Amino acid sequence: SLPKRVLVEDLQAYVEDQLDNQEISTKAYNYMKYNSWEKIEAWISTMASANPSLVSKQVIGTTFEGRSMTVLKIGKQSSSTKPAIFLDCGIHAREWISPAFCQWFVKEALETYGSDAQMTSLLDQMDVIVLPVFNIDGYAYTWSNNRMWRKTRSRRPSSSCVGADPNRNFDAGWCTTGASSNPCSDTYCGSKPESEMEVKAVADYIRLNHSNIKAYLTVHSYSQLLLFPYSYTFQLAAHHSELLQVAEGAAKALRSLYGTRYTSGPGAATIYPAAGGSDDWAYDLGVKYSYTFELRDTGRYGFLLPESQIKPTCMETMLAVKYIAAHVLENLY
């Protein structure tokens, strides 16, 4: 039998300890705490209205439960279409550090534009399209009902089980490996590719704008990995060596701040084979720089990363994202 060790004796204690950041924020919005969907939704509107020269917002779809999916496009306004990076967070509901990073990214971009040379040149020449929470229904459910929920909240007449895994629902080797056809499974691939409204909304948006979307970055937790295609096959991607080189450079930049170690590589070989992922789908569509981040930690807290780690996690991850963005900007195709 496999040797095993208990990592978490008392899960409830971890759930309670997670909201451990007692720092009082002078601003109305606290980036060092986990924020509910209601707060994030209000924040999205505020960001757009407070920074009209750098931010515009667009509703790209609606969730199963009727919530609006809004992207923030960040960048200096231009009369011509600029190359863009698409960044999404919160595909999996329980991975709370992920949406926290998208919020941090927006804050940093707006606060450092004009003073940080790298951020300024990035936003002058490119747009970053941020989807702060991909799986909004699931995220709301982790706040109200079940902290460990992962999937969407869609319902089908044929099953009493709820939701599909949005990161198994994209049309990339759909449901062939590392996904389940059982609606009750956490990795249920859905009834067909893009059966989930949220997945279809994102896929439609990227298809519509794919001629100018040059990079696709999706943020998950946990494991401290920087992954790139493929996950649905062990075959190497056409741009494997460049993708690996950029991932290793980004991981090195990330490590420079606190010494946090990330492992880079193709999804299938680095973590596990899994079909229907957004990064593989974007890459096959022609978005060359397609990366999945698995943020802190490596399992001590897992999905219940304490709030005291939000700031260091986001700061180090910013370095990796900026590294990738700089490479994309220098290698437009």
Side-chain angles (χ1 to χ4, degrees):
S1 73
L2 292 169
K4 56 181 187 286
R5 64 192 172 108
V6 176
L7 282 173
V8 179
E9 287 286 356
D10 181 359
L11 188 68
Q12 186 58 34
Y14 272 54
V15 171
E16 287 157 16
D17 289 349
Q18 198 191 2
L19 305 176
D20 67 346
N21 185 12
Q22 301 308 320
E23 269 185 76
I24 303 301
S25 171
T26 48
K27 295 202 171 79
Y29 199 77
N30 194 339
Y31 291 91
M32 290 177 282
K33 288 195 79 65
Y34 294 116
N35 290 293
S36 67
W37 170 244
E38 289 68 34
K39 283 188 178 166
I40 297 170
E41 189 174 34
W43 169 85
I44 291 171
S45 294
T46 304
M47 284 295 114
S49 56
N51 304 279
S53 60
L54 277 178
V55 185
S56 63
K57 69 183 171 89
Q58 182 188 345
V59 175
I60 64 164
T62 309
T63 68
F64 184 84
E65 292 178 347
R67 296 177 174 92
S68 291
M69 297 175 69
T70 306
V71 293
L72 290 172
K73 184 196 275 189
I74 306 165
K76 185 182 174 188
Q77 283 173 350
S78 155
S79 51
S80 56
T81 306
K82 293 157 72 188
I85 294 173
F86 191 96
L87 169 67
D88 69 46
C89 292
I91 280 188
H92 290 139
R94 62 193 175 193
E95 299 169 8
W96 282 12
I97 187 60
S98 169
F101 176 72
C102 268
Q103 294 160 60
W104 190 276
F105 178 87
V106 171
K107 168 187 90 77
E108 281 291 295
L110 298 175
E111 280 177 5
T112 63
Y113 178 81
S115 58
D116 176 84
Q118 197 186 0
M119 186 63 83
T120 307
S121 107
L122 171 69
L123 297 179
D124 281 348
Q125 297 171 76
M126 297 186 81
D127 290 323
V128 183
I129 300 152
V130 182
L131 178 59
V133 185
F134 186 122
N135 176 9
I136 306 169
D137 296 349
Y139 186 73
Y141 193 74
T142 60
W143 280 76
S144 64
N145 290 70
N146 175 359
R147 177 63 185 82
M148 298 308 265
W149 188 258
R150 168 182 167 101
K151 299 190 284 181
T152 61
R153 296 294 303 162
S154 58
R155 287 175 180 76
R156 271 176 208 85
S158 53
S159 172
S160 58
C161 289
V162 175
D165 182 341
N167 209 39
R168 300 290 183 278
N169 191 236
F170 282 83
D171 197 0
W174 181 77
C175 221
T176 52
T177 181
S180 172
S181 53
N182 172 5
C184 304
S185 163
D186 248 358
T187 55
Y188 175 48
C189 59
S191 56
K192 61 174 197 280
E194 299 180 23
S195 60
E196 303 312 288
M197 292 168 65
E198 299 83 356
V199 170
K200 187 172 176 356
V202 170
D204 281 346
Y205 181 88
I206 294 175
R207 272 191 290 262
L208 187 65
N209 298 287
H210 101 271
S211 59
N212 50 299
I213 294 176
K214 303 303 176 187
Y216 171 78
L217 306 178
T218 182
V219 180
H220 290 250
S221 75
Y222 59 94
S223 285
Q224 294 172 200
L225 303 170
L226 186 42
L227 308 171
F228 51 86
Y230 283 108
S231 288
Y232 71 80
T233 173
F234 282 96
Q235 243 181 295
L236 296 185
H239 307 96
H240 175 81
S241 53
E242 185 187 359
L243 291 172
L244 178 61
Q245 202 184 339
V246 173
E248 286 176 341
K252 190 179 170 190
L254 186 152
R255 189 166 73 239
S256 71
L257 199 53
Y258 303 109
T260 308
R261 293 196 168 271
Y262 268 58
T263 304
S264 312
T270 308
I271 181 167
Y272 43 65
S278 63
D279 55 349
D280 284 359
W281 174 83
Y283 180 78
D284 281 344
L285 185 72
V287 182
K288 179 172 157 188
Y289 300 104
S290 186
Y291 289 99
T292 296
F293 282 83
E294 292 282 355
L295 301 184
R296 293 192 192 182
D297 54 10
T298 55
R300 178 174 177 196
Y301 294 103
F303 303 119
L304 304 173
L305 194 72
E307 283 177 331
S308 51
Q309 290 195 40
I310 295 175
K311 184 178 180 177
T313 301
C314 290
M315 285 177 69
E316 67 190 10
T317 307
M318 282 298 298
L319 298 177
V321 169
K322 285 168 78 173
Y323 181 94
I324 295 170
H327 182 88
V328 174
L329 193 52
E330 283 158 25
N331 296 275
L332 292 174
Y333 56 93

